[in-house]
Structure formats: structure tokens, C-alpha cells
Amino acid sequence: MLDIDEAAVQKGVATISGSLDRLVKKEKMSAEQKAAAMARIKATTQMADLKAVDIVIEAATENEGLKLKILAEAEAVIGNDTIIASNTSSISITQLAAATGRADRFIGMHFFNPVPMMALVELIRGLQTSDETHAKVEALAKALGKTPITVKNNPGFVVNRILCPMINEAIFVYAEGLASAEEIDAGMKLGCNHPIGPLALADMIGLDTMLAVMKVFYEGFNDSKYRPAPLLKEMVAAGYLGRKTGRGFYTY
């Protein structure tokens, strides 16, 4: 596991440890199994440590320039046969792949939050993704205990193409004063059997990420139905990004 500095790496390790602690508490994992899992993780800040890996999964924030920079740095050290997967939730896999020297060994591997609990992984095939690459990454997803679905490259792929405009519409409803955040979320949980309301989910995803995704849709489809809600833009400008900043549609 690689991150930008030691503090970020240690935060990541602590997050994984906390997730496993919850499984131990629920008796779904023993303390010994947790210790063994933690021992298998190598945390680093050095890109050179990726030299011997079979697959790199890039999971940076939804910023195409940043992703391209990371991919270029990784490609400079990894082996010729190494597969690169991107966890992007909206950026074109075909476009990211084309910026590398291994477009046939590039694929989208989109995990869903909260990753330890959610079974789904979207496998997104770029125009250049080979059948061999897809088969290997599909097998990896299944080995991780996930259920993969394969989708074609398109803005937002499948799940976020449906989900994010729904969340964006909930923000419009909230901004128009039709109901409180609590009432909107209760309506969708009780009326549509969603496990979490759209505004609470936006806070979990991160409002900056939500805005980035809606911008990709708006630009990619050139369709006004994907316009980001003005309140979403305003909250991101204010630094109210959801759970990670302690304030979004709710206070944490």
C-alpha cells in the first residue's frame, strides 16, 4: 500500500486495522486472522517498491491529471507484464489506458464504499483492454470475495451513471426547501428500501468527489440533465465535503 507520505500511509494502516477490529468484535474473524492479515500488508511511500507486483490498483482522488501523474510514475518501475487497474468512478478508462504504454493491460476496477462490506466490483473494459487482462482481474475480484460485473467504458460506467444523478437530484430537492435532509433520506430509505439516504451517502462519498463525477457526466454527455446542483458547487467551495471534513449535509 503506497501513499504520498508516512502520515497518510499510517492513517491507511490504522483504517484497515479498525475495519478488521470490527470483524473480530462481530466474531467474523479471529484475532489471529487479523494479525496475519495485517502482517501481509507492506506500507510504503516509495514507488520503487512496486517493482515486483503483478497488479497495481490506482485509487487516487477523481482528478485526471493526478491519476495520469501517478500512472506514469508507476509505469516507470513496474514489470512489462504487470496489469494496471484504476479505481476511478467516472474517468474514461480508454483515455487513461491510452496515456500508458500498456493499454491492453489496463482496466477499470471500481470498488464501492464501504469497500469491506460491499460485494460489487465494476470491471470496466477500455477499448484496448485485452481478454487476458479482463480474465485475470475478474479472477482476482472473485478471489477477494467480490462479485464482479463487466461493463463498457462510458462516463460513470453503470452504477454511478444511475446513482450520482439521483443523489444530485436529492441535492436539488434539498436546496429548494422541499424537505429537510433527514426527511429526504428517510423517504428514500423507507419508500425505496435504500440502506442509506442519498444525502448521507453523498457525505460518505465526499461532496468534492460527487461534484467531480457530475462534471465528468456533464462534459461527457453534453446534456443539461447532468448539470451539478448549484448547492453542491457552493458546499464544495466552502470546504463542506462531508464526513472527511466533519460537515456536509450533516455534521460529524
Side-chain angles (χ1 to χ4, degrees), residues 8-127:
V9 166
Q10 291 309 315
K11 183 179 179 182
V13 172
T15 299
I16 296 169
S17 181
S19 293
L20 297 183
D21 280 339
R22 286 190 288 276
L23 293 177
V24 172
K25 189 175 181 180
K26 294 177 181 177
E27 297 184 347
K28 293 183 178 181
M29 171 184 278
S30 69
E32 291 76 17
Q33 287 173 317
K34 181 211 165 175
M38 294 301 297
R40 288 193 290 269
I41 298 169
K42 177 177 180 178
T44 182
T45 59
Q46 301 301 313
M47 194 68 73
D49 286 336
L50 300 181
K51 186 176 182 179
V53 303
D54 297 313
I55 182 169
V56 170
I57 303 175
E58 169 274 315
T61 190
E62 287 296 278
N63 179 307
E64 184 177 337
L66 175 62
K67 287 181 181 295
L68 291 173
K69 178 177 179 291
I70 292 169
L71 293 174
E73 290 174 354
E75 192 168 31
V77 299
I78 61 178
N80 291 333
D81 296 328
T82 301
I83 292 170
I84 299 180
S86 176
N87 185 48
T88 180
S89 56
S90 63
I91 298 171
S92 170
I93 295 300
T94 296
Q95 192 168 325
L96 291 175
T100 73
R102 62 188 74 219
D104 61 323
R105 282 155 287 148
F106 196 100
I107 194 168
M109 194 176 191
H110 180 213
F111 293 82
F112 285 78
N113 270 324
V115 176
M117 307 302 296
M118 299 293 278
L120 180 66
V121 174
E122 275 184 320
L123 302 183
I124 304 99
R125 297 190 65 153
L127 197 60

Side-chain angles (χ1 to χ4, degrees), residues 208-244:
D208 52 341
T209 299
M210 266 298 306
L211 179 57
V213 171
M214 291 310 300
K215 284 181 175 179
V216 167
F217 287 1
Y218 191 41
E219 294 165 8
F221 292 112
N222 195 27
D223 190 330
S224 62
K225 75 178 181 179
Y226 296 114
R227 70 207 182 285
L231 179 60
L232 176 59
K233 295 180 180 179
E234 190 79 357
M235 291 179 72
V236 170
Y240 301 159
L241 308 183
R243 286 180 178 267
K244 59 189 174 186

